[in-house]
Amino acid sequence: MPAEPAFRPSLISWNLTRKCNLRCPHCYLDAGRAADRELTTDECLSLLDEMSELGTEMLILTGGEPLLRQDVHQIARAASERGMWVVMGTNGVLVTDQVAETMASCGVKGVGISIDSLDPERHDAFRQGGRADFAPARIGGRSSWHHSVRALDVCRAHGLEVLVQSTVTQENRAEVPALLNFAREKGAWSFNLYFLVSTGRGESMTELGAAPTEEVLHQLAAWQEACRPMLVRAKCAPQFKRIAYEEGLAGLDSGGCMAGTEYCRITPEGDVTPCPYMTAVAGNVLQSGFRAVWSGSPLLASLRDPDRLGGRCGACEYRELCGGCRCRAYAHTGDVLAEDPACPYEPRGGELVAAPVSWDEAARRRLERIPIAFIRRKVERGAEAYARRHRLGRVTAAVMDAAIQGSGRGAGAGLRDIGTSGLRGD
């Protein structure tokens, strides 16, 4: 039998189009008009075949606004038929009962919808190209908040899991607890808080900064327990894992930068990048095919060796657990292996203690019921790290419940941990 590949594209974020009905100032894709040359339906279907052969398990269809692409449901159905878990990342404005019903019938499992403020005017201004200080909404954006909130209810009514996505900025930072409670009241599977990376149109915006980022991450770690069974996740802030480890909290199954190791992005034109927030291109699927890019790109290879990380990330004892945000490092320095400027942690050196941990039979059975292998691996590593942190030599079902936030959902859930990024419908 051929050897199991060391790295596979388990999770892919696919920007199907640059076309979008909103104009968000933080959009990494600078979406608006369709690109001059976007992948055709046939090219998309052929690409799905390559993804399937390489072992892709979860596919995020996003944009731009993916619902503006007429063949999006055909692509979703084809991906689902190939055994992939399909998630749609949308701003929610175009989601109607008919659209939600069609998504469900095509095998879509969940929908990520972006809500950045509970004040409709503030949200609409932001999503329609308003300034970072939430200038008055432009014509056409005044009702986007109401459409997006309605989409949460519509999707749930049709059996789709919903994930509320928010991007934290200095302007809406105080609203995060209220946004989190709103997501819980709406029955969201997960609340995903994105930490801005200054790329695309977001280059003109100011990131939160290392100290405030650290403060918000500590708050998120503490909020996890109170929000069960809803998941609480930090995106584009892999140091969330370090904080969870330090404080002995849940969340060790989440986070950690997957860029180029288990995760990548494909643009509407077919470029492959390690993550949606990184503009460095590993190759193009139309020029060489996806397999050749994933297996042969020097850029992707460089991200697969934590010993090549530079600065504080390279010296950090958490480099394998966290790895730092490679996209933020690249946005600030032009070097994908540089230290993450959003993390204030000063490494102590050495390695984390990795005492042996065993699994009891009941816990192992629960782990094996998780249908998506890369999520199963993350849960396994997270539960073992939690057990070590608490000086427990054995993972039991109770330890899994304590280690994995949102355990009330059941261990067989496929949407337990949705990737690192790229789900937003910006």
Side-chain angles (χ1 to χ4, degrees):
M1 294 181 61
E4 182 79 6
F7 302 95
R8 64 172 62 192
S10 299
L11 171 65
I12 294 177
S13 180
W14 192 354
N15 298 123
L16 286 173
T17 181
R18 291 184 181 272
K19 188 183 298 184
C20 192
N21 52 337
L22 300 181
R23 189 167 178 82
C24 307
H26 62 311
C27 180
Y28 63 82
L29 196 64
D30 194 12
R33 296 180 180 274
D36 292 338
R37 168 66 166 95
E38 297 186 346
L39 298 182
T40 66
T41 302
D42 287 343
E43 288 166 345
C44 288
L45 297 179
S46 295
L47 183 52
L48 286 174
D49 288 333
E50 285 196 87
M51 292 178 188
S52 179
E53 291 167 2
L54 288 170
T56 299
E57 297 176 290
M58 182 175 287
L59 183 64
I60 301 166
L61 300 179
T62 185
E65 174 48 59
L67 293 175
L68 289 172
R69 183 158 172 150
Q70 293 185 353
D71 58 358
V72 65
H73 299 300
Q74 181 181 355
I75 294 169
R77 184 184 300 278
S80 179
E81 289 173 348
R82 287 161 174 77
M84 300 177 202
W85 283 68
V86 181
V87 179
M88 194 84 73
T90 171
N91 56 46
V93 172
L94 301 177
V95 175
T96 63
D97 278 294
Q98 182 178 357
V99 168
E101 182 179 1
T102 302
M103 284 195 288
S105 70
C106 290
V108 174
K109 302 295 185 182
V111 182
I113 296 174
S114 302
I115 305 287
D116 289 310
S117 175
L118 295 184
D119 181 336
E121 290 187 2
R122 286 163 60 88
H123 172 92
D124 292 351
F126 188 67
R127 288 275 156 183
Q128 194 61 19
R131 293 155 46 91
D133 58 358
F134 297 104
R138 296 184 180 183
I139 295 173
R142 291 190 179 93
S143 61
S144 63
W145 187 89
H146 293 284
H147 286 298
S148 298
V149 171
R150 178 179 180 272
L152 295 172
D153 298 326
V154 169
C155 287
R156 290 206 68 214
H158 288 275
L160 296 163
E161 295 291 354
V162 296
L163 303 93
V164 173
Q165 325 273 29
S166 299
T167 298
V168 61
T169 65
Q170 194 59 50
E171 289 73 25
N172 72 348
R173 177 183 168 188
E175 276 199 87
V176 171
L179 284 163
L180 192 151
N181 286 331
F182 168 83
R184 183 169 54 175
E185 290 168 0
K186 286 293 181 182
W189 182 272
S190 177
F191 175 74
N192 293 340
L193 189 65
Y194 285 82
F195 289 77
L196 178 72
V197 178
S198 295
T199 187
R201 278 203 296 271
E203 286 182 348
S204 63
M205 298 183 66
T206 302
E207 294 176 6
L208 199 56
T213 293
E214 189 85 351
E215 182 178 344
V216 174
L217 288 173
H218 277 278
Q219 291 170 340
L220 284 181
W223 285 330
Q224 290 180 108
E225 184 68 29
C227 291
R228 291 187 181 220
M230 184 181 76
L231 300 173
V232 177
R233 293 297 185 240
K235 301 299 180 183
C236 307
Q239 63 269 39
F240 186 66
K241 267 196 171 185
R242 186 250 308 161
I243 290 170
Y245 185 92
E246 288 177 330
E247 299 190 3
L249 297 171
L252 286 163
D253 58 313
S254 175
C257 187
M258 297 166 59
T261 59
E262 296 181 282
Y263 177 50
C264 69
R265 180 267 297 262
I266 299 174
T267 72
E269 300 91 340
D271 285 337
V272 178
T273 73
C275 178
Y277 305 96
M278 189 183 294
T279 55
V281 176
N284 186 281
V285 300
L286 294 179
Q287 295 172 2
S288 58
F290 182 51
R291 177 184 294 274
V293 176
W294 180 259
S295 303
S297 163
L299 170 62
L300 298 183
S302 71
L303 293 166
R304 295 168 183 171
D305 183 0
D307 291 336
R308 296 182 64 177
L309 293 174
R312 288 178 295 121
C313 286
C316 188
E317 63 270 30
Y318 293 99
R319 63 184 177 275
E320 294 192 34
L321 190 67
C322 164
C325 178
R326 299 298 94 221
C327 299
R328 186 171 286 105
Y330 182 75
H332 282 257
T333 69
D335 180 1
V336 299
L337 300 174
E339 67 180 43
D340 182 350
C343 179
Y345 182 73
E346 291 296 334
R348 298 185 179 95
E351 303 289 336
L352 294 180
V353 176
V357 174
S358 63
W359 286 69
D360 74 10
E361 186 176 346
R364 179 61 68 179
R365 284 199 302 268
R366 284 185 60 183
L367 181 70
E368 293 303 320
R369 287 203 301 271
I370 299 175
I372 302 177
F374 87 92
I375 295 178
R376 190 163 60 245
R377 291 192 295 271
K378 286 166 72 70
V379 171
E380 181 178 31
R381 292 193 295 264
E384 291 179 355
Y386 182 89
R388 292 189 186 101
R389 183 70 180 84
H390 289 270
R391 295 180 172 85
L392 303 172
R394 191 170 182 80
V395 176
T396 64
V399 171
M400 286 186 72
D401 283 345
I404 304 168
Q405 194 269 336
S407 59
R409 298 289 191 179
L415 296 180
R416 175 167 299 281
D417 187 72
I418 300 293
T420 53
S421 58
L423 189 60
R424 285 194 328 225
D426 296 332

